[in-house]
């Protein structure tokens, strides 16, 4: 090999190494996405590597389960991260994961502190490791939501039974509105998804399920009513391509939760941050982006109907 060619290879290898190192510098070993640089100028707090003395040795971590896709919720969650930083006086990192199960796993291991989860993910997390409620979203004066069964606008299907032998989209395996409710409908007919549908997929977010129906990828889907209504306002041209053919009974709204080991004073401050959002201008802007009016207190008993549905469909 010639000297010139050897030097060229070494130079290219050096450039590749630099690129790899620069890429690695943007994420830590846990793959957490940092939306903001760590700062030390928060009022009321001196950040020197720990959020609370003797407690956290890192920033607070906020996670969003895939109720909506990262593409749809990026701006709102980015703004929420900044709001929490300002309210709490501590650095906050935002992370997202593809499934509800991943978020529960990270909270159980103590790798995240605050999360938006679905109702069944809360029920399972509360039972498995003591996941704690912070607040629930309120829309239209009610902290409730339902499962909507949707089909293309031109579809002849009039109810869930009409989807037999057709293609269907669930959202997430742990989703109450996007998985457990349609499973309950199927069970009532003495069938399983494999026998009831021609085929089915998981989209891992409700807005993607709506798009899958609108684009004709599937013949029907089960989606969160709150997400559907917010999506329809934001994307009326897409919502015009689908229609709601069935709605479930109401359930308590998906909650914001915290891990049980979080320091009590900080836990109380996090709860206050969410309950005060509708009283602050920047908080109201974020609520509007999320399609929520405000966050309100909620108790564990409100989720007993979710537990009952989960029991009936044989969910652990």
């Amino acid at each position: 090999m010639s000297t010139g060619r050897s030097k060229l290879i070494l130079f290219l290898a050096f450039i590749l190494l630099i690129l790899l190192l620069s890429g690695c510098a943007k994420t830590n070993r846990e793959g957490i996405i940092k939306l903001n640089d760590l700062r030390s100028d928060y009022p009321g707090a001196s950040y020197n590597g720990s959020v609370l003395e003797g407690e956290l040795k890192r920033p607070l971590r906020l996670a969003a389960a895939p109720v909506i896709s990262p593409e749809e919720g990026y701006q709102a969650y980015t703004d929420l991260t900044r709001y929490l930083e300002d309210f709490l006086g501590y650095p906050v990192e935002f992370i997202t994961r593809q499934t509800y199960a991943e978020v529960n796993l990270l909270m159980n291991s103590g790798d995240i502190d605050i999360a938006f989860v679905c109702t069944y993910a809360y029920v399972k997390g509360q039972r498995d490791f003591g996941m704690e409620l912070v607040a629930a979203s309120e829309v239209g004066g009610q902290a409730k939501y339902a499962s909507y069964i949707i089909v293309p606008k031109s579809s002849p299907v009039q109810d869930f039974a009409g989807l037999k032998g057709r293609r269907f989209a669930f959202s997430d395996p742990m989703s109450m509105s996007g998985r457990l409710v349609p499973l309950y409908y199927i069970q009532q007919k003495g069938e399983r998804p494999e026998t009831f549908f021609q085929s089915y997929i998981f989209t891992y977010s409700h807005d993607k399920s709506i798009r899958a129906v609108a684009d004709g990828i599937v013949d029907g889907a089960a989606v969160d009513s709150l997400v559907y209504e917010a999506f329809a306002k934001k994307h009326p041209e897409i919502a015009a391509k689908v229609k709601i053919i069935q709605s479930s009974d109401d359930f308590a709204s998906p909650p914001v939760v915290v891990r049980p080991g979080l320091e009590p004073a900080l836990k109380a401050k996090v709860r206050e941050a969410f309950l005060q959002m509708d009283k602050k201008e920047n908080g109201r802007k974020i609520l509007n982006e999320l399609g929520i009016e405000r966050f309100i207190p909620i108790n564990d008993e409100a989720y007993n109907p979710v537990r009952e549905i989960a029991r009936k469909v044989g969910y652990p």
Side-chain angles (χ1 to χ4, degrees), residues 150-152 163-170 196-201 212-213 215-221:
I150 61 172
V151 298
L163 287 167
K164 182 174 174 62
R166 296 177 183 267
R167 302 165 301 167
F168 193 78
F170 295 109
F196 187 78
F197 298 121
Q198 174 189 317
S199 61
Y200 63 86
I201 62 172
V213 173
D215 293 340
I217 296 171
V218 294
D219 302 307

Side-chain angles (χ1 to χ4, degrees), residues 257-278:
V257 298
V258 292
R259 63 180 177 84
L262 197 62
E263 199 274 334
L266 182 54
K267 195 180 302 179
K269 192 71 174 175
V270 168
R271 181 173 288 108
E272 183 185 358
F274 281 96
L275 298 181
Q276 293 293 319
M277 280 186 72
D278 62 308

Side-chain angles (χ1 to χ4, degrees), residues 41 141 179 289 301:
D41 59 343
R179 173 68 170 172
E289 291 171 349
E301 290 74 21

Side-chain angles (χ1 to χ4, degrees), residues 2 21 32 102 117 136 145 173 182 187 189 198 215 236 251 311:
S2 67
L21 290 175
I32 292 172
E102 288 177 281
V117 297
Y145 81 121
Q187 183 191 67
K189 300 179 183 304
Q198 174 189 317
D215 293 340
F251 300 98
R311 183 188 66 78

Side-chain angles (χ1 to χ4, degrees), residues 107 122 130-134 256-261 267 271:
M107 182 161 279
Y122 161 68
M131 179 185 283
E132 296 183 15
L133 292 168
V134 170
V256 179
V257 298
V258 292
R259 63 180 177 84
K267 195 180 302 179
R271 181 173 288 108

Side-chain angles (χ1 to χ4, degrees), residues 3-248:
T3 303
R5 188 177 179 185
S6 297
K7 289 181 179 179
L8 176 61
I9 292 173
L10 287 172
F11 175 76
L12 291 175
F14 175 76
I15 293 298
L16 178 61
L17 178 61
I18 293 297
L19 290 173
L20 288 172
L21 290 175
S22 64
C24 292
K26 294 177 183 178
T27 60
N28 64 14
R29 63 184 176 83
E30 294 136 333
I32 292 172
I33 303 169
K34 297 186 178 183
L35 299 183
N36 54 297
D37 294 326
L38 299 185
R39 292 160 41 190
S40 59
D41 59 343
Y42 294 100
S46 56
Y47 178 66
N48 60 357
S50 67
V51 174
L52 284 179
E53 287 187 22
E55 215 275 330
L56 286 175
K57 302 301 181 185
R58 55 165 175 75
L60 280 170
R61 289 175 182 160
L62 166 70
V67 178
I68 56 177
S69 65
E71 295 83 5
E72 285 290 324
Y74 178 82
Q75 188 59 55
Y77 289 130
T78 302
D79 292 343
L80 177 59
T81 299
R82 296 189 181 115
Y83 166 82
L84 289 174
E85 286 182 329
D86 291 339
F87 193 101
L88 300 173
Y90 302 114
V92 179
E93 292 175 348
F94 169 70
I95 70 172
T96 185
R97 288 295 183 268
Q98 185 179 8
T99 68
Y100 296 124
E102 288 177 281
V103 172
N104 274 32
L105 182 65
L106 287 173
M107 182 161 279
N108 187 18
S109 66
D111 289 321
I112 61 173
D113 310 295
I114 313 163
F116 285 83
V117 297
C118 72
T119 52
Y120 177 68
Y122 161 68
V123 165
K124 183 170 172 57
Q126 188 276 331
R127 184 197 66 202
D128 291 351
F129 60 89
M131 179 185 283
E132 296 183 15
L133 292 168
V134 170
S137 59
E138 185 177 84
V139 177
Q142 294 184 316
K144 297 179 180 180
Y145 81 121
S147 173
Y148 283 172
I149 303 300
I150 61 172
V151 298
K153 191 77 170 181
S154 60
S155 174
V157 176
Q158 298 181 352
D159 56 23
F160 186 80
L163 287 167
K164 182 174 174 62
R166 296 177 183 267
R167 302 165 301 167
F168 193 78
F170 295 109
S171 57
D172 183 277
M174 287 177 66
S175 172
M176 180 66 181
S177 58
R179 173 68 170 172
L180 272 70
V181 168
L183 281 184
Y184 177 69
Y185 292 156
I186 293 168
Q187 183 191 67
Q188 295 300 99
K189 300 179 183 304
E191 297 203 53
R192 296 174 292 107
E194 293 77 14
T195 62
F196 187 78
F197 298 121
Q198 174 189 317
S199 61
Y200 63 86
I201 62 172
F202 287 95
T203 64
Y204 294 99
S205 71
H206 294 281
D207 59 286
K208 288 183 179 178
S209 290
I210 297 170
R211 291 179 185 274
V213 173
D215 293 340
I217 296 171
V218 294
D219 302 307
V223 298
D224 181 316
S225 63
L226 298 176
V227 175
Y228 180 88
E229 300 298 345
F231 184 92
K233 290 180 180 178
K234 188 174 181 180
H235 304 287
E237 75 287 355
I238 299 175
K241 297 179 181 179
V242 306
K243 62 183 177 180
I244 303 165
I245 60 169
Q246 191 166 317
S247 178
S248 72

